């Protein structure tokens, strides 16, 4: 058994998108899900729960996830995997961001 990254399956409008757009800005939802080690449906589930903002669509209709969204996605996945209820994850991450802002301002 090998430890390989999951294959990225393109569905819907993404199947017509390049890996990155002309400016190289961001990743598709499938690529973001593969990066976080979860399914695309899980990313969409997190969107519905308000845990991750949905990025704007690019010119070919794909949502482009940038580093901030990828970080948030991994944080949500990690907390959910640790057993933190989804209903609590958003508030916890927002609280931690406030603490980080306070510490950065000092």
């Amino acid at each position: 058994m090998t430890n390989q990254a999951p294959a990225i399956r393109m569905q819907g409008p993404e199947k017509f998108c390049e890996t990155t757009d002309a400016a190289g800005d961001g990743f598709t939802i499938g690529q973001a899900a593969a990066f976080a080690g979860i399914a695309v449906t899980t990313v969409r589930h997190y969107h519905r729960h308000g845990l991750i903002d949905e990025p704007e669509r690019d010119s070919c209709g794909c949502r482009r996830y940038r580093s901030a969204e990828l970080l948030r996605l991994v944080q949500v996945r990690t907390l959910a995997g640790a057993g933190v209820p989804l209903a609590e994850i958003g508030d916890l991450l927002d609280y931690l961001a406030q603490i980080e802002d306070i510490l950065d301002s000092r």
Side-chain angles (χ1 to χ4, degrees):
M1 181 154 82
T2 61
N3 278 339
Q4 294 180 335
I8 299 172
R9 252 183 53 205
M10 300 287 195
Q11 296 180 358
E14 290 180 334
K15 65 184 173 187
F16 302 109
C17 293
E18 296 291 328
T19 301
T20 56
D21 63 14
D25 291 335
F27 299 94
T28 64
I29 190 170
Q31 292 167 327
F35 176 80
I38 57 177
V40 169
T41 55
T42 304
V43 177
R44 291 188 178 122
H45 185 71
Y46 292 165
H47 286 310
R48 284 191 300 275
H49 282 273
L51 299 173
I52 302 167
D53 292 333
E54 289 187 49
E56 295 296 317
R57 294 187 182 273
D58 66 8
S59 60
C60 74
C62 295
R63 297 190 185 280
R64 294 295 177 172
Y65 293 77
R66 292 174 177 76
S67 59
E69 288 93 8
L70 291 175
L71 174 61
R72 178 79 176 206
L73 182 60
V74 170
Q75 290 172 327
V76 171
R77 187 232 352 140
T78 301
L79 290 170
V84 178
L86 291 183
E88 296 176 15
I89 290 176
D91 289 339
L92 177 60
L93 290 176
D94 292 343
Y95 177 73
L96 292 174
Q98 288 175 352
I99 291 173
E100 185 177 337
D101 290 343
I102 291 168
L103 293 175
D104 286 345
S105 68
R106 290 183 178 204

